[in-house]
């Protein structure tokens, strides 16, 4: 009987066990940042009590920049070119860019109307967000978030969900401010997003 295959299987299983043990040890070592030991004095004895302390993370702020260009086929409609996501305190580090020509911006009856297809449970659905604006100067449009309903805010969050998916806490993202700027045949919008 040839013992070589058994030895190879034994060595492979031992190696896998070693790798698994190293990973568990390394993960628990990384998790130590969430633990701290607290020394207390009780009855003239010093004891160390191990307590898990939840590390409260500060909210992260992001900026989403969307660029549009005037549609050649439909007057008054702007076609989306791209969306960019940047962490506010690291403005030079661009996190994500989605280049697309799917999505429109329309100015209609005192509202900025954003239309875009988004993936939903294996299919695609069209999402529409109607957002009231206040014009500032000749070419700036400030979205009035205080006059925006919860349904409108939810639609706006769904429009940008493909961009923020994958960020920690993206389900609780809040859009604080949004403004748009019209310049010749271009339209650009910036959103400030906070994630707890």
């Amino acid at each position: 009987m040839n013992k070589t295959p058994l030895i190879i299987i034994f060595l492979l299983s031992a190696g896998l066990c070693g790798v698994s043990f190293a990973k568990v040890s390394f993960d628990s070592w990384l998790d130590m940042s969430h633990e701290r030991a607290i020394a207390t004095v009780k009855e003239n004895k010093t004891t160390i009590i191990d307590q898990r302390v939840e590390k409260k993370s500060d909210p992260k702020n992001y900026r989403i920049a969307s660029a549009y260009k005037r549609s050649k086929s439909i007057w008054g409609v702007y076609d989306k070119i791209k969306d960019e996501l940047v962490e506010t305190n690291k403005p030079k580090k661009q996190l994500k860019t989605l280049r697309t020509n799917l999505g429109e911006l329309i100015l209609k009856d005192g509202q900025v109307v954003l239309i875009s297809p988004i993936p939903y449970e294996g299919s695609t659905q069209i999402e529409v967000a109607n957002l009231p604006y206040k014009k500032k100067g000749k070419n700036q449009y400030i979205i009035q978030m205080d006059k925006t309903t919860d349904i409108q805010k939810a639609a706006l969050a769904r429009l940008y969900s493909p961009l923020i998916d994958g960020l920690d806490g993206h389900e609780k993202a809040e859009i604080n401010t949004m403004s748009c700027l019209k310049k010749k045949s271009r339209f650009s919008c910036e959103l400030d997003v906070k994630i707890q």
Side-chain angles (χ1 to χ4, degrees):
M1 184 174 162
N2 192 357
K3 294 183 181 180
T4 306
L6 288 175
I7 292 172
I8 292 172
I9 291 172
F10 176 75
L11 289 174
L12 283 174
S13 64
L16 288 173
C17 287
V19 169
S20 298
F21 179 75
K23 180 173 179 1
V24 168
S25 298
F26 183 71
D27 286 348
S28 64
W29 178 76
L30 284 177
D31 198 33
M32 286 178 65
S33 63
H34 301 291
E35 298 177 16
R36 70 175 173 191
I38 300 174
T40 60
V41 177
K42 289 184 179 177
E43 300 174 13
N44 297 329
K45 292 181 184 176
T46 303
T47 59
I48 295 182
I49 302 169
D50 189 21
Q51 293 181 344
R52 292 232 174 226
V53 178
E54 282 277 330
K55 185 178 179 184
K56 291 186 179 179
S57 60
D58 293 331
K60 288 197 172 186
N61 296 307
Y62 297 91
R63 182 175 50 82
I64 295 175
S66 295
Y68 299 84
K69 66 178 179 179
R70 186 176 289 138
S71 173
K72 293 179 181 176
S73 54
I74 307 170
W75 186 85
V77 173
Y78 293 85
D79 295 326
K80 186 180 279 190
I81 302 169
K82 68 178 177 177
D83 289 325
E84 290 180 350
L85 177 68
V86 176
E87 194 171 338
T88 305
N89 60 352
K90 300 175 185 174
K92 294 188 178 181
K93 185 181 177 187
Q94 191 171 315
L95 297 176
K96 200 173 190 180
T97 300
L98 291 179
R99 295 188 182 279
T100 179
N101 57 0
L102 300 174
E104 280 82 30
L105 180 144
I106 305 166
L107 295 174
K108 182 180 177 186
D109 300 329
Q111 293 187 329
V112 171
V113 181
L114 299 173
I115 305 168
S116 186
I118 58 169
Y120 179 73
E121 294 182 356
S123 63
T124 301
Q125 72 177 22
I126 303 298
E127 190 65 58
V128 179
N130 299 304
L131 308 165
Y133 70 82
K134 176 177 65 176
K135 200 165 180 185
K136 184 178 177 184
K138 186 178 177 182
N139 296 320
Q140 191 171 12
Y141 300 82
I142 309 295
I143 304 304
Q144 295 176 298
M145 297 304 281
D146 56 335
K147 294 184 179 178
T148 305
T149 67
D150 289 340
I151 294 171
Q152 292 168 322
K153 288 177 183 175
L156 183 61
R158 284 191 299 271
L159 280 170
Y160 287 100
S161 63
L163 191 65
I164 63 173
D165 273 354
L167 296 177
D168 288 338
H170 71 276
E171 311 86 16
K172 298 177 184 176
E174 294 177 19
I175 298 171
N176 294 325
T177 62
M178 179 177 176
S179 64
C180 299
L181 184 66
K182 184 179 175 184
K183 194 171 183 181
K184 296 184 181 178
S185 64
R186 300 286 175 146
F187 217 96
S188 61
C189 294
E190 283 196 0
L191 296 85
D192 289 323
V193 180
K194 181 172 78 173
I195 297 180
Q196 289 289 355

